[in-house]
Amino acid sequence: MPASPSADERERLSGSVERVTFHSEESGFCVLRVRVKGQRDPVAVIGSAASVAAGEFIEALGQWVNDRTHGLQFRATLLRIVPPTTLEGIEKYLGSGMVRGIGPHFAKKLVKAFGEDVFDVIEQTPERLRDLDGIGPKRQQQVTSAWAEQKAIRAIMVFLQSHGVGTSRSVRIYKTYGDEAIVRVTEDPYRLALDIHGIGFKTADALAERLGIPRDSPLRARAGVRHALALWSEQGHCYCPRDRLTDQAVKLLGIPDDVIHAAIDAEMAEQRLVSEPGPGSEDLLFLAPLHQAEVNVANRLRTLRDGKLPWGAIDVPKAIPWVEDKAGLTLSASQRDAVALVCASKVCVITGGPGVGKTTLVNSLIRILSAKKLTVTLCAPTGRAAKRLSETTGLEAKTVHRALEFDPKAFGFKRSLDNPLETDLVVLDESSMMDIVLMNQLLKAVPDEAALLLVGDVDQLPSVGPGSVLGDLIESGVIPTVRLTEIFRQAESSRIIVNAHRINRGEMPIADRDPASDFHVIPADSPEAIFGKLMQVVTERIPARYGFDPIADIQVLTPMNRGGIGVRALNVELQQRLNGRAEPKITKYGTTFAPGDKVLQMVNNYDKDVYNGDIGRIARIDLENGAVLIDFDGREVSYELSELDEVSLAYAASIHKSQGSEYPAVVIPLAMQHYLLLERNLLYTAVTRGRKLVVVIAEPKALAMAVRNRKATKRGTRLAERLGAGTVPVGPISGA
């Protein structure tokens, strides 16, 4: 990929805007037709501006490109808008709709009456507008207030952009703070990381430096402490010991530890951090929302567990033969015991690996409880997991976010304590993926009289977000738990299932030479050999032998993002081999995208109703309007070019990102260069993602290390303690 041109290599262009073909208020992306001196026809200019209207004069830095679809374009890396100076330009600008209350007809009248002084009249002597026919006090007020607003927006955008803040972030800042944006940002730029979704500490810190805030400022120290604790929570922990947090903040910020200690105390006084005594004399520090979530989850689970069963008493010895007859199956002794336990429990956990009958058990329970005319709500953390739950139960299942009716405008859930779900039983599948924050939101929406059944495999990787909810519930010993271990006869024929359980017990998988087997191990003696064999397997051997589509059906799952057999390198090569001829292509944030590419959503986007881990295919790229349309399970979602940092190529994905998903075929590369991540639950999770075929391409030593290692670090959580500790204190922070 060619490097971006330097400032010296960029060309300058200036001219008046003839037409605004496209402009996004959210991102600032625009496609303009600009009349440039020396050019007979208006030229296409692609760039980014907070607001732009026909008639304005632009100055741009960038370079000419010859787009295959749209021809010659000037792609501006820097676009500056200058108010118009000619009468024609002023009339076009005022009539463009930029100022509410002024249309083309009124613009002509204004320019005819006041000429080049029209801007001064609107701003300084607006009462003169009433000299014109049809202008009364109301219309005058509308025009002057709209003029003041757009002028304020311009001033704020110029200020923010002059301090290195991009257009889309500038728009978000203005929408949050309005006319006070400059004052608020100048007083405390670090508040951006707290107040505005998508702006983090690094952006705020860079802005603070440009504004001249000292590196050892208490403002910076406090924001840095929050950021250090947030980084810790990204590793799955709900708390961090105070001494360790201090060390991390000192290293991160490069300022003395006494300033950090003062910052921690100040953040605790503001109730942004919460401290609890830990083992020995060490204090444990929580971000307030995580502390509140953990306390709330413990309290809600106790309340639900101790309530009356919504179905009353069930005669289990009669119910079991009835459901066996209805479903045409025979439950095992362990499944019958599980039915009895769940029917007697208002909150219950069912856990176990693949092939042990979790689905059969859940379906049997739903049949029994539905016969009691109960309302059942089925949900799962991801779209793919919810879709699979629908397929296995024959009932509607939703993602947790959809079940709770997330409202992107209010940035919150409609279903909560004061508007709970209308249900008698909530069944949550893939519950090992639930982090403490989302679990808190779900439990707030479960009515007191309802029951809760959590289903999941506790031996898989824990949630991406902080907490270890399923493991903590089981560890607490106070939530009734069914652990299924018996592999059923029909599942024993699957080498995927047999080997998954072998790996989970610390035994090497059986390498089957039978071509008809659904599990294969291909040895390789180096990362380079793994790379070559993987390309051959994905692009040729699996499609030829099994008929799988190499893009839609085969998923490469690798432990790491970086390295020769990491996510990034594999994606570039697989994209080239499987979709290299697709057009048009567009490169954004270092990644090239084309129609047909498989992509992965990297963050939750509540506005688009697309969530971290969702996989889609690019349906088409609209260069004229600066949009990429991505198909997620039959639903097309539009992304502006500035939003493409939310998605990545997904021919290969990290094993962590695959949680909750299943694929027809999975290919897993393992090398000694992955040694820091070679752990049993990682390999186990990857293997259990494959539905019909699993191929492991590995250095033998790396495979052995992954099977042997069970060193997964226990996460810093206190949920198990809170559940088993009798009365749980309510935390001091509200609104979590």
Side-chain angles (χ1 to χ4, degrees), residues 457-476:
D457 186 348
V458 75
D459 294 318
Q460 286 185 21
L461 289 169
S463 58
V464 174
S468 183
V469 174
L470 183 62
D472 286 350
L473 264 59
I474 295 169
E475 185 188 331
S476 73

PDB file of all heavy atoms in Angstrom, residues 457-476:
ATOM      1  N   ASP A 457     -20.967 -23.281  28.736  1.00  0.00           N
ATOM      2  CA  ASP A 457     -19.825 -24.171  28.940  1.00  0.00           C
ATOM      3  C   ASP A 457     -18.762 -23.408  29.725  1.00  0.00           C
ATOM      4  O   ASP A 457     -18.064 -22.554  29.172  1.00  0.00           O
ATOM      5  CB  ASP A 457     -19.289 -24.617  27.581  1.00  0.00           C
ATOM      6  CG  ASP A 457     -18.193 -25.671  27.698  1.00  0.00           C
ATOM      7  OD1 ASP A 457     -17.689 -25.889  28.817  1.00  0.00           O
ATOM      8  OD2 ASP A 457     -17.832 -26.262  26.660  1.00  0.00           O
ATOM      9  N   VAL A 458     -18.655 -23.695  31.005  1.00  0.00           N
ATOM     10  CA  VAL A 458     -17.762 -22.932  31.876  1.00  0.00           C
ATOM     11  C   VAL A 458     -16.288 -23.164  31.546  1.00  0.00           C
ATOM     12  O   VAL A 458     -15.424 -22.384  31.963  1.00  0.00           O
ATOM     13  CB  VAL A 458     -18.053 -23.263  33.360  1.00  0.00           C
ATOM     14  CG1 VAL A 458     -17.496 -24.649  33.729  1.00  0.00           C
ATOM     15  CG2 VAL A 458     -17.504 -22.185  34.288  1.00  0.00           C
ATOM     16  N   ASP A 459     -15.986 -24.208  30.767  1.00  0.00           N
ATOM     17  CA  ASP A 459     -14.590 -24.489  30.417  1.00  0.00           C
ATOM     18  C   ASP A 459     -14.109 -23.705  29.198  1.00  0.00           C
ATOM     19  O   ASP A 459     -12.934 -23.762  28.848  1.00  0.00           O
ATOM     20  CB  ASP A 459     -14.407 -25.986  30.173  1.00  0.00           C
ATOM     21  CG  ASP A 459     -14.608 -26.796  31.444  1.00  0.00           C
ATOM     22  OD1 ASP A 459     -14.120 -26.348  32.498  1.00  0.00           O
ATOM     23  OD2 ASP A 459     -15.275 -27.853  31.398  1.00  0.00           O
ATOM     24  N   GLN A 460     -15.010 -22.993  28.537  1.00  0.00           N
ATOM     25  CA  GLN A 460     -14.586 -22.136  27.435  1.00  0.00           C
ATOM     26  C   GLN A 460     -13.906 -20.890  27.974  1.00  0.00           C
ATOM     27  O   GLN A 460     -13.892 -20.633  29.174  1.00  0.00           O
ATOM     28  CB  GLN A 460     -15.804 -21.731  26.596  1.00  0.00           C
ATOM     29  CG  GLN A 460     -16.355 -22.842  25.730  1.00  0.00           C
ATOM     30  CD  GLN A 460     -17.481 -22.345  24.834  1.00  0.00           C
ATOM     31  OE1 GLN A 460     -17.602 -21.158  24.577  1.00  0.00           O
ATOM     32  NE2 GLN A 460     -18.311 -23.274  24.384  1.00  0.00           N
ATOM     33  N   LEU A 461     -13.368 -20.090  27.053  1.00  0.00           N
ATOM     34  CA  LEU A 461     -12.796 -18.800  27.451  1.00  0.00           C
ATOM     35  C   LEU A 461     -13.848 -17.961  28.165  1.00  0.00           C
ATOM     36  O   LEU A 461     -15.024 -18.018  27.810  1.00  0.00           O
ATOM     37  CB  LEU A 461     -12.319 -18.038  26.208  1.00  0.00           C
ATOM     38  CG  LEU A 461     -11.078 -18.584  25.496  1.00  0.00           C
ATOM     39  CD1 LEU A 461     -10.923 -17.879  24.148  1.00  0.00           C
ATOM     40  CD2 LEU A 461      -9.834 -18.385  26.337  1.00  0.00           C
ATOM     41  N   PRO A 462     -13.447 -17.184  29.159  1.00  0.00           N
ATOM     42  CA  PRO A 462     -14.414 -16.291  29.807  1.00  0.00           C
ATOM     43  C   PRO A 462     -14.778 -15.132  28.887  1.00  0.00           C
ATOM     44  O   PRO A 462     -14.236 -14.995  27.795  1.00  0.00           O
ATOM     45  CB  PRO A 462     -13.663 -15.801  31.055  1.00  0.00           C
ATOM     46  CG  PRO A 462     -12.214 -15.917  30.693  1.00  0.00           C
ATOM     47  CD  PRO A 462     -12.109 -17.085  29.753  1.00  0.00           C
ATOM     48  N   SER A 463     -15.686 -14.290  29.340  1.00  0.00           N
ATOM     49  CA  SER A 463     -16.188 -13.171  28.542  1.00  0.00           C
ATOM     50  C   SER A 463     -15.055 -12.252  28.098  1.00  0.00           C
ATOM     51  O   SER A 463     -14.026 -12.137  28.763  1.00  0.00           O
ATOM     52  CB  SER A 463     -17.198 -12.367  29.356  1.00  0.00           C
ATOM     53  OG  SER A 463     -16.593 -11.889  30.546  1.00  0.00           O
ATOM     54  N   VAL A 464     -15.276 -11.552  26.977  1.00  0.00           N
ATOM     55  CA  VAL A 464     -14.309 -10.552  26.517  1.00  0.00           C
ATOM     56  C   VAL A 464     -14.281  -9.384  27.499  1.00  0.00           C
ATOM     57  O   VAL A 464     -13.232  -8.845  27.832  1.00  0.00           O
ATOM     58  CB  VAL A 464     -14.665 -10.063  25.094  1.00  0.00           C
ATOM     59  CG1 VAL A 464     -13.747  -8.925  24.661  1.00  0.00           C
ATOM     60  CG2 VAL A 464     -14.567 -11.220  24.098  1.00  0.00           C
ATOM     61  N   GLY A 465     -15.446  -8.969  27.981  1.00  0.00           N
ATOM     62  CA  GLY A 465     -15.544  -7.881  28.951  1.00  0.00           C
ATOM     63  C   GLY A 465     -15.208  -8.345  30.353  1.00  0.00           C
ATOM     64  O   GLY A 465     -15.002  -9.542  30.612  1.00  0.00           O
ATOM     65  N   PRO A 466     -15.148  -7.423  31.321  1.00  0.00           N
ATOM     66  CA  PRO A 466     -14.734  -7.767  32.686  1.00  0.00           C
ATOM     67  C   PRO A 466     -15.712  -8.686  33.402  1.00  0.00           C
ATOM     68  O   PRO A 466     -16.918  -8.653  33.171  1.00  0.00           O
ATOM     69  CB  PRO A 466     -14.638  -6.402  33.385  1.00  0.00           C
ATOM     70  CG  PRO A 466     -15.465  -5.480  32.566  1.00  0.00           C
ATOM     71  CD  PRO A 466     -15.402  -5.979  31.169  1.00  0.00           C
ATOM     72  N   GLY A 467     -15.155  -9.507  34.286  1.00  0.00           N
ATOM     73  CA  GLY A 467     -15.955 -10.420  35.078  1.00  0.00           C
ATOM     74  C   GLY A 467     -15.789 -11.855  34.624  1.00  0.00           C
ATOM     75  O   GLY A 467     -15.219 -12.147  33.569  1.00  0.00           O
ATOM     76  N   SER A 468     -16.287 -12.766  35.454  1.00  0.00           N
ATOM     77  CA  SER A 468     -16.276 -14.192  35.151  1.00  0.00           C
ATOM     78  C   SER A 468     -17.584 -14.760  35.692  1.00  0.00           C
ATOM     79  O   SER A 468     -17.607 -15.566  36.612  1.00  0.00           O
ATOM     80  CB  SER A 468     -15.063 -14.857  35.817  1.00  0.00           C
ATOM     81  OG  SER A 468     -14.986 -16.210  35.480  1.00  0.00           O
ATOM     82  N   VAL A 469     -18.686 -14.269  35.112  1.00  0.00           N
ATOM     83  CA  VAL A 469     -20.011 -14.453  35.710  1.00  0.00           C
ATOM     84  C   VAL A 469     -20.369 -15.921  35.887  1.00  0.00           C
ATOM     85  O   VAL A 469     -20.700 -16.362  36.992  1.00  0.00           O
ATOM     86  CB  VAL A 469     -21.082 -13.718  34.878  1.00  0.00           C
ATOM     87  CG1 VAL A 469     -22.470 -14.030  35.413  1.00  0.00           C
ATOM     88  CG2 VAL A 469     -20.841 -12.221  34.900  1.00  0.00           C
ATOM     89  N   LEU A 470     -20.315 -16.704  34.814  1.00  0.00           N
ATOM     90  CA  LEU A 470     -20.737 -18.109  34.912  1.00  0.00           C
ATOM     91  C   LEU A 470     -19.849 -18.866  35.891  1.00  0.00           C
ATOM     92  O   LEU A 470     -20.348 -19.607  36.753  1.00  0.00           O
ATOM     93  CB  LEU A 470     -20.699 -18.767  33.532  1.00  0.00           C
ATOM     94  CG  LEU A 470     -21.196 -20.217  33.493  1.00  0.00           C
ATOM     95  CD1 LEU A 470     -22.653 -20.316  33.912  1.00  0.00           C
ATOM     96  CD2 LEU A 470     -20.999 -20.815  32.096  1.00  0.00           C
ATOM     97  N   GLY A 471     -18.533 -18.687  35.785  1.00  0.00           N
ATOM     98  CA  GLY A 471     -17.614 -19.367  36.700  1.00  0.00           C
ATOM     99  C   GLY A 471     -17.851 -18.959  38.143  1.00  0.00           C
ATOM    100  O   GLY A 471     -17.818 -19.794  39.053  1.00  0.00           O
ATOM    101  N   ASP A 472     -18.103 -17.669  38.383  1.00  0.00           N
ATOM    102  CA  ASP A 472     -18.335 -17.185  39.747  1.00  0.00           C
ATOM    103  C   ASP A 472     -19.622 -17.742  40.329  1.00  0.00           C
ATOM    104  O   ASP A 472     -19.688 -18.065  41.520  1.00  0.00           O
ATOM    105  CB  ASP A 472     -18.377 -15.654  39.762  1.00  0.00           C
ATOM    106  CG  ASP A 472     -17.000 -15.023  39.601  1.00  0.00           C
ATOM    107  OD1 ASP A 472     -15.997 -15.767  39.678  1.00  0.00           O
ATOM    108  OD2 ASP A 472     -16.921 -13.800  39.387  1.00  0.00           O
ATOM    109  N   LEU A 473     -20.675 -17.843  39.504  1.00  0.00           N
ATOM    110  CA  LEU A 473     -21.943 -18.397  39.998  1.00  0.00           C
ATOM    111  C   LEU A 473     -21.753 -19.844  40.450  1.00  0.00           C
ATOM    112  O   LEU A 473     -22.248 -20.248  41.504  1.00  0.00           O
ATOM    113  CB  LEU A 473     -23.016 -18.326  38.907  1.00  0.00           C
ATOM    114  CG  LEU A 473     -23.956 -17.125  38.947  1.00  0.00           C
ATOM    115  CD1 LEU A 473     -23.196 -15.819  38.834  1.00  0.00           C
ATOM    116  CD2 LEU A 473     -24.996 -17.218  37.840  1.00  0.00           C
ATOM    117  N   ILE A 474     -21.023 -20.615  39.636  1.00  0.00           N
ATOM    118  CA  ILE A 474     -20.781 -22.025  39.988  1.00  0.00           C
ATOM    119  C   ILE A 474     -19.887 -22.110  41.219  1.00  0.00           C
ATOM    120  O   ILE A 474     -20.154 -22.876  42.151  1.00  0.00           O
ATOM    121  CB  ILE A 474     -20.159 -22.766  38.787  1.00  0.00           C
ATOM    122  CG1 ILE A 474     -21.165 -22.818  37.628  1.00  0.00           C
ATOM    123  CG2 ILE A 474     -19.713 -24.170  39.182  1.00  0.00           C
ATOM    124  CD1 ILE A 474     -20.578 -23.295  36.312  1.00  0.00           C
ATOM    125  N   GLU A 475     -18.817 -21.291  41.244  1.00  0.00           N
ATOM    126  CA  GLU A 475     -17.865 -21.321  42.358  1.00  0.00           C
ATOM    127  C   GLU A 475     -18.506 -20.913  43.683  1.00  0.00           C
ATOM    128  O   GLU A 475     -18.122 -21.402  44.751  1.00  0.00           O
ATOM    129  CB  GLU A 475     -16.699 -20.380  42.040  1.00  0.00           C
ATOM    130  CG  GLU A 475     -15.572 -20.407  43.075  1.00  0.00           C
ATOM    131  CD  GLU A 475     -14.530 -19.337  42.823  1.00  0.00           C
ATOM    132  OE1 GLU A 475     -14.334 -18.961  41.651  1.00  0.00           O
ATOM    133  OE2 GLU A 475     -13.917 -18.875  43.808  1.00  0.00           O
ATOM    134  N   SER A 476     -19.506 -20.037  43.633  1.00  0.00           N
ATOM    135  CA  SER A 476     -20.119 -19.543  44.874  1.00  0.00           C
ATOM    136  C   SER A 476     -20.761 -20.648  45.691  1.00  0.00           C
ATOM    137  O   SER A 476     -20.853 -20.560  46.927  1.00  0.00           O
ATOM    138  CB  SER A 476     -21.171 -18.474  44.541  1.00  0.00           C
ATOM    139  OG  SER A 476     -22.333 -19.067  43.983  1.00  0.00           O
TER     140      SER A 476
END
